[in-house]
Amino acid sequence: MSLLNEALSKIQPLDPALIAQTQAKLDNKTKPLGSLGRLEEFACRYAAISGSLEPPTWKKVIFTFAADHGVVAEGVSAFPKEVTVQMVYNFLAGGAGVNVLAKHVRAEVLVVDIGVDHDFGDTPGLIGRKIARGTRNLAQGPAMAREEAIAALEVGIELANGCKSEGIAMVGTGEMGIGNTTPSSAIIAAFTGRPVAGLTHRGTGINDASLAHKVRVIEQALAVNRPDPADPIDVLAKVGGLEIAGIAGLVLGCAANRIPVVVDGFISTAGALVASELCPTVKEYLFAAHRSVEIGHAVMLERLGAEPILDLQMRLGEGTGAALAMGLIEAGVKILKEMATFEEAGVAEGEY
């Protein structure tokens, strides 16, 4: 059995009884019922995913997948493709936004070269899983062969399987790839059939004329490739990206291994969306970190049925939102595990 099919076969719905048991435990803490709001929701779902009323949280990892995109040749980004390589070295040196915020919540950043158009050699700290040196230009034809898309999915699954064996408690998604908001908009347009203009934003900060051009490029990509929304791998291969595929695989693998997965912004959610189209049950294992200012992100979240944890007007990517949300999820779990009960504290229960 392939890694992909094996992962899909292992994903099971969460046990509602365990969610109810967790809520009952929270309800006995020294507080009015439900007074910690969404922190209680996080704790309940985290416990159900982990399968324990005393779930671990301390070992946290953010995978930042890096890949290049052939569609950059169409002039859809404000930055040249060389920035992808430069940022990979910045991640490895600890100088990027995700490094700072991950350190803040005591999470480790692991950088994965899944498709950068550069020979990194034996660069210390880099996880080398290159499927190709970037995608092809999706405006002219398929971004990837179907086999490449599946191979990239299985990179993510393999990494999730490794997390299980290493006792990782919580996983975050991140990405780096100049031009990758273009395939992300194409993916949500392919799945929903909505007009591209209502799903496409400025990415790295392009002007109005460039935004209009970007919309036309995505419309051309959809017309040329005709991705089949009933076949998520077809959508991924034709108009996706290698880092998006890696994230999709990571989400599937985490769900298969009962590991909570915190999904970052627009590009990461494109990966989560592909995963959920392949297996709708993965939605139960996801925490949507934040609402990006990319206009297509709200539509993605709606399709996933996911309520974002934060709305900070962010659009950096890398896993920055995931890092921040991890801290809040962990806070909810610590309430579950560490807050005193009425009996332990000698506090009288009221009729709240």
Side-chain angles (χ1 to χ4, degrees):
M1 184 185 293
S2 71
L3 267 180
L4 176 57
N5 288 333
E6 182 182 3
L8 290 169
S9 70
K10 287 169 62 178
I11 299 169
Q12 300 296 322
L14 297 184
D15 181 359
L18 191 50
I19 295 175
Q21 289 167 26
T22 309
Q23 188 63 60
K25 184 176 178 181
L26 286 165
D27 289 347
N28 199 33
K29 302 292 186 178
T30 47
K31 61 176 182 60
L33 290 176
S35 58
L36 283 174
R38 294 200 68 198
L39 290 181
E40 298 187 31
E41 170 204 325
F42 305 156
C44 286
R45 201 146 57 83
Y46 190 101
I49 293 168
S50 304
S52 169
L53 291 178
E54 292 283 329
T57 60
W58 68 272
K59 207 168 183 182
K60 303 182 290 296
V61 167
I62 296 169
F63 286 99
T64 300
F65 291 85
D68 278 307
H69 296 264
V71 74
V72 168
E74 300 289 337
V76 294
S77 174
F79 286 84
K81 65 175 284 189
E82 290 77 18
V83 172
T84 302
V85 175
Q86 293 161 2
M87 283 302 299
V88 167
Y89 284 115
N90 192 23
F91 296 140
L92 295 173
V98 67
N99 300 108
V100 174
L101 295 179
K103 185 177 180 181
H104 175 63
V105 296
R106 303 180 316 283
E108 182 181 9
V109 176
L110 297 177
V111 187
V112 185
D113 170 20
I114 197 168
V116 181
D117 187 12
H118 179 77
D119 182 7
F120 288 100
D122 294 324
T123 301
L126 182 65
I127 300 172
R129 295 290 190 276
K130 198 190 302 285
I131 301 301
R133 293 178 72 106
T135 53
R136 291 173 280 282
N137 186 349
L138 56 83
Q140 306 298 328
M144 295 173 267
R146 188 179 181 92
E147 294 73 21
E148 289 174 318
I150 292 171
L153 282 164
E154 293 191 336
V155 166
I157 294 168
E158 175 196 352
L159 292 169
N161 290 345
C163 288
K164 182 67 172 180
S165 63
E166 293 167 23
I168 303 296
M170 187 177 356
V171 170
T173 70
E175 43 60 44
M176 178 64 217
I178 293 300
N180 62 9
T181 58
T182 295
S184 298
S185 292
I187 285 170
I188 185 61
F191 282 132
T192 64
R194 294 197 188 192
V196 172
L199 302 169
T200 306
H201 201 52
R202 300 183 187 276
T204 47
I206 55 177
N207 61 27
D208 288 348
S210 295
L211 177 58
H213 171 67
K214 181 178 176 180
V215 169
R216 289 193 296 270
V217 168
I218 296 168
E219 289 170 342
Q220 179 178 324
L222 294 169
V224 166
N225 290 295
R226 300 181 65 189
D228 179 4
D231 181 356
I233 295 177
D234 187 64
V235 173
L236 177 63
K238 287 179 174 175
V239 298
L242 288 159
E243 78 277 47
I244 294 170
I247 290 166
L250 184 72
V251 168
L252 290 170
C254 285
N257 286 290
R258 299 183 67 92
I259 301 171
V261 58
V262 187
V263 178
D264 193 35
F266 187 49
I267 294 95
S268 283
T269 309
L273 187 61
V274 170
S276 77
E277 297 289 327
L278 282 165
C279 178
T281 306
V282 302
K283 297 174 186 176
E284 299 180 30
Y285 292 81
L286 300 177
F287 290 90
H290 73 115
R291 186 187 306 279
S292 169
V293 297
E294 287 287 328
I295 59 174
H297 193 220
V299 181
M300 289 179 177
L301 293 171
E302 179 186 331
R303 191 168 179 90
L304 286 169
E307 182 67 29
I309 293 172
L310 296 165
D311 187 349
L312 300 175
Q313 299 174 28
M314 291 169 61
R315 56 178 176 86
L316 177 57
E318 304 178 357
T320 47
L324 291 169
M326 279 178 156
L328 291 172
I329 296 164
E330 186 172 25
V333 178
K334 284 186 174 181
I335 289 293
L336 174 69
K337 293 165 64 176
E338 299 175 17
M339 189 175 179
T341 64
F342 285 103
E343 183 179 1
E344 289 166 343
V347 174
E349 295 187 57
E351 293 295 327
Y352 291 113

